[in-house]
Amino acid sequence: MISHRSLLTSALLAISTLSATAAVDWLDSLDAGQAAATERNLPLYLHIGDPLNELTGAMARQTFANDEVSAFLNEHFVCVHLNRDDAPALAGFGQQWLAADQKLPGWPLNLWFTPDLQPIEGASYLPPTEEWGREGFMVVAGRIAERWGADAESVQQGTAATQRLIADYLPFAAEPPADLDAALATAASDWLARYNAELGTFGEAPHGIEPELIRFLIARGGDARATALASLKARILSPLRDPIDGGFYRATADSEARLPVFQKRLTDQARIALACMDAAAVSDDPIYAAAAKSALDYAINRLSPVGDGTFVIGEDATAPESVAHQTWLWNDLVALVGEDMATALGARADGNVNADEDLEGHHAGRNVLDADPITMRPQHMFDLRAKVLFARADFAAVVVDHTATAAAHALMYHAMKRSEAELGDLDHGAYALGTKAALLRDFSAGTEFFSRTSRSEVPATPEDYVLTALAFEDPALAAAVDEKFYDDELGLYYVTSDEVLGLRPLWWTPGAGDLPAPTVWRVMLGNAPALMVDELTLPFENPDVPPAGAVLLALQQTLN
């Protein structure tokens, strides 16, 4: 029997000590991992991460960079690391595993297999040590290593039940409401009851901008529309929008909706721009058009470094070495741009960050910035903003050099084409042509070689098909996604057209930061299968939480 407890004890004692020389011997493909696991007769540990997921980054910094942990993993497992977009089938398998096992879903995925790829144990994020009732990473890894060392055959035999559990998993079937319009009216009222007029937010922190919810409420008209417009304007004027480069952060983390989560996602810029354009279509206030252009300009200027119409996934300044450089001391800001501009950006001499909300203590006496996008337009303002942008960039490189998926490119194309048509922005229209060319050139969009990631053999997923169908206004692609991925008995999409590890996983329930599910976008396209529309109503069966804005928007469009 392997005695892992001394290793576990020393690892837990040293878990917070990071080492530049520590390294897990990661392999970058499941095939290579299986071959090595078979040769060494060891379990395979598969880690599937998301480059913009804070918990993925936390595991890299707090767990895998620890000498004791990396040594333990290298000795007792064959380790494979993949990014979720590069392995959507395996990501779907892992999410279905967690759902079937009634564990918390999300990213990253920590999955252990036998050498012949039978499932042993799975989990989403595992902290370095036990917290909030969650087992620590080394407890789980140590338990699996001990079981395998004591009786590998018994572990192997136990995987059959787990495989059946995953394969047999079925989500709950929906009972559609008898009157959909009345159900949508109730959902709108429920969301309005959660509205904080002082902050312009819905519900509890953290507060995202809820772009699809805003669009749904705008579509409802009346008080719902008025609230949506007020909320959107308040959030545009808040620190959720970075007045320096014009991009929108993912969310604000504090109860006052003032302290951003310092991460900007490409897909969020497109979704927010679409919400702002919906607002601009029903309001004379120029702030909505300005904010839509601001979000798309940011994406083009900051997230398309090559300038050929392709985009990276985003910017991330949430790591400890980056986050403190996203706020400003008054004197440093004044030295850069002068007192008038510092004041225009909402800064104060004593700082504007509430110390009680700054839980990590990174921003004491410092300032988050905010400003009206219209007042920041003049050339002299642009020049001053550029000074702040370049100074901030000197402190930390935060662009995540990971090319976005076909789905993300398609969503950006759709938003830029709308900006051209509705806001008269010819620059966005011109850049959209480059993005369309990239979709055709780098992703082979609409062909039998359609890929999820750029110039790869990773097959496109339902998300890629349906958003490209939306972008290109191509009903043939909408029909193709149904033909390739739709289960007409469940009303749901599979992740893949082929099996992976013995089954076809269903598309997972989106988490924080994920795009809405492909079925949502497909219903927005129109002429979706009736059962798919019915299944979209499942969230109405929870009386305590109103359905997500994306679900409501899609269902609203079925009534129009």
Side-chain angles (χ1 to χ4, degrees), residues 351-428:
N352 63 17
V353 174
N354 184 341
D356 293 335
E357 300 280 0
D358 181 20
L359 301 182
E360 301 295 329
H362 292 302
H363 309 290
R366 302 175 72 89
N367 291 277
V368 291
L369 308 181
D370 58 64
D372 185 329
I374 297 174
T375 65
M376 291 289 114
R377 280 178 175 173
Q379 184 63 44
H380 73 283
M381 291 289 196
F382 177 86
D383 294 341
L384 292 173
R385 286 191 292 126
K387 285 186 177 182
V388 179
L389 180 64
F390 292 138
R392 187 170 66 186
D394 285 341
F395 291 123
V398 296
V399 173
V400 180
D401 188 19
H402 190 90
T403 303
T405 62
H409 279 85
L411 191 59
M412 274 298 300
Y413 174 80
H414 174 60
M416 290 187 290
K417 290 298 289 183
R418 271 195 63 180
S419 176
E420 178 188 35
E422 298 174 24
L423 306 181
D425 196 311
L426 300 182
D427 289 338
H428 290 166

Side-chain angles (χ1 to χ4, degrees), residues 104-283:
L104 289 172
W107 310 102
L109 289 170
N110 297 283
L111 310 174
W112 282 268
F113 296 89
T114 63
D116 59 347
L117 300 183
Q118 297 302 303
I120 300 173
E121 190 163 344
S124 54
Y125 169 70
L126 290 170
T129 57
E130 184 177 356
E131 56 185 45
W132 302 308
R134 276 192 161 186
E135 289 184 306
F137 178 84
M138 279 297 292
V139 172
V140 178
R143 178 173 63 238
I144 295 167
E146 183 177 37
R147 288 176 56 208
W148 184 263
D151 192 348
E153 183 177 352
S154 175
V155 173
Q156 185 82 44
Q157 291 172 351
T159 62
T162 303
Q163 182 70 21
R164 284 195 301 272
L165 179 73
I166 302 168
D168 293 344
Y169 169 75
L170 291 175
F172 292 109
E175 290 290 338
D179 185 337
L180 180 57
D181 190 40
L184 291 172
T186 298
S189 296
D190 289 344
W191 274 112
L192 295 183
R194 288 165 168 76
Y195 181 62
N196 183 325
E198 182 180 351
L199 302 178
T201 58
F202 295 90
E204 303 297 322
H207 298 109
I209 202 168
E210 304 282 358
E212 287 78 30
L213 176 61
I214 294 293
R215 297 178 69 188
F216 163 70
L217 294 174
I218 288 172
R220 294 295 298 180
D223 290 343
R225 176 179 293 175
T227 299
L229 294 175
S231 172
L232 185 57
K233 183 170 184 176
R235 299 300 269 153
I236 291 168
L237 294 172
S238 81
L240 183 74
R241 178 185 168 275
D242 183 350
I244 302 305
D245 59 27
F248 284 81
Y249 293 109
R250 197 186 81 202
T252 46
D254 61 314
S255 63
E256 299 175 347
R258 293 279 308 165
L259 190 60
V261 176
F262 290 105
Q263 182 186 94
K264 299 170 188 156
R265 294 177 178 243
L266 174 69
T267 50
D268 285 347
Q269 310 311 310
R271 293 165 64 196
I272 291 166
L274 292 171
C276 289
M277 285 185 274
D278 282 7
V282 299
S283 171

Side-chain angles (χ1 to χ4, degrees), residues 449-473:
F449 304 108
F450 191 9
S451 62
R452 179 161 177 77
T453 53
S454 177
R455 304 188 184 194
S456 78
E457 296 181 1
V458 179
T461 70
E463 183 178 81
D464 304 299
Y465 272 87
V466 74
L467 281 169
T468 303
L470 174 70
F472 290 179
E473 300 179 5

Side-chain angles (χ1 to χ4, degrees), residues 249-554:
Y249 293 109
R250 197 186 81 202
T252 46
D254 61 314
S255 63
E256 299 175 347
R258 293 279 308 165
L259 190 60
V261 176
F262 290 105
Q263 182 186 94
K264 299 170 188 156
R265 294 177 178 243
L266 174 69
T267 50
D268 285 347
Q269 310 311 310
R271 293 165 64 196
I272 291 166
L274 292 171
C276 289
M277 285 185 274
D278 282 7
V282 299
S283 171
D284 293 332
D285 193 329
I287 195 170
Y288 303 114
K293 292 183 178 184
S294 166
L296 296 178
D297 286 343
Y298 160 76
I300 292 169
N301 293 328
R302 295 287 295 165
L303 303 183
S304 187
V306 179
D308 63 348
T310 59
F311 293 91
V312 296
I313 58 176
E315 292 187 310
D316 186 13
T318 58
E321 63 271 18
S322 304
V323 68
H325 299 301
Q326 306 309 305
T327 53
W328 292 87
L329 293 170
W330 169 260
N331 289 340
D332 291 344
L333 191 60
V334 168
L336 270 177
V337 298
E339 285 194 19
D340 289 346
M341 182 63 170
T343 301
L345 290 170
R348 300 198 312 244
D350 58 347
N352 63 17
V353 174
N354 184 341
D356 293 335
E357 300 280 0
D358 181 20
L359 301 182
E360 301 295 329
H362 292 302
H363 309 290
R366 302 175 72 89
N367 291 277
V368 291
L369 308 181
D370 58 64
D372 185 329
I374 297 174
T375 65
M376 291 289 114
R377 280 178 175 173
Q379 184 63 44
H380 73 283
M381 291 289 196
F382 177 86
D383 294 341
L384 292 173
R385 286 191 292 126
K387 285 186 177 182
V388 179
L389 180 64
F390 292 138
R392 187 170 66 186
D394 285 341
F395 291 123
V398 296
V399 173
V400 180
D401 188 19
H402 190 90
T403 303
T405 62
H409 279 85
L411 191 59
M412 274 298 300
Y413 174 80
H414 174 60
M416 290 187 290
K417 290 298 289 183
R418 271 195 63 180
S419 176
E420 178 188 35
E422 298 174 24
L423 306 181
D425 196 311
L426 300 182
D427 289 338
H428 290 166
Y431 209 80
L433 294 177
T435 300
K436 183 175 184 178
L439 278 163
L440 298 173
R441 179 190 67 239
D442 298 340
F443 298 90
S444 302
T447 74
E448 61 179 309
F449 304 108
F450 191 9
S451 62
R452 179 161 177 77
T453 53
S454 177
R455 304 188 184 194
S456 78
E457 296 181 1
V458 179
T461 70
E463 183 178 81
D464 304 299
Y465 272 87
V466 74
L467 281 169
T468 303
L470 174 70
F472 290 179
E473 300 179 5
D474 186 348
L477 276 175
V481 71
D482 293 345
E483 181 180 348
K484 290 175 70 70
F485 303 104
Y486 182 62
D487 187 307
D488 57 10
E489 294 183 358
L490 298 177
L492 301 171
Y493 283 134
Y494 293 106
V495 178
T496 65
S497 56
D498 300 313
E499 287 191 351
V500 58
L501 302 181
L503 60 92
R504 287 182 74 189
L506 294 164
W507 197 269
W508 55 86
T509 301
D514 286 349
L515 283 171
T519 49
V520 168
W521 299 106
R522 178 65 185 88
V523 170
M524 288 186 197
L525 279 174
N527 297 316
L531 183 58
M532 181 186 293
V533 178
D534 288 347
E535 284 302 311
L536 215 55
T537 67
L538 180 63
F540 285 95
E541 297 179 21
N542 183 350
D544 298 323
V545 181
V551 169
L552 297 173
L553 177 63

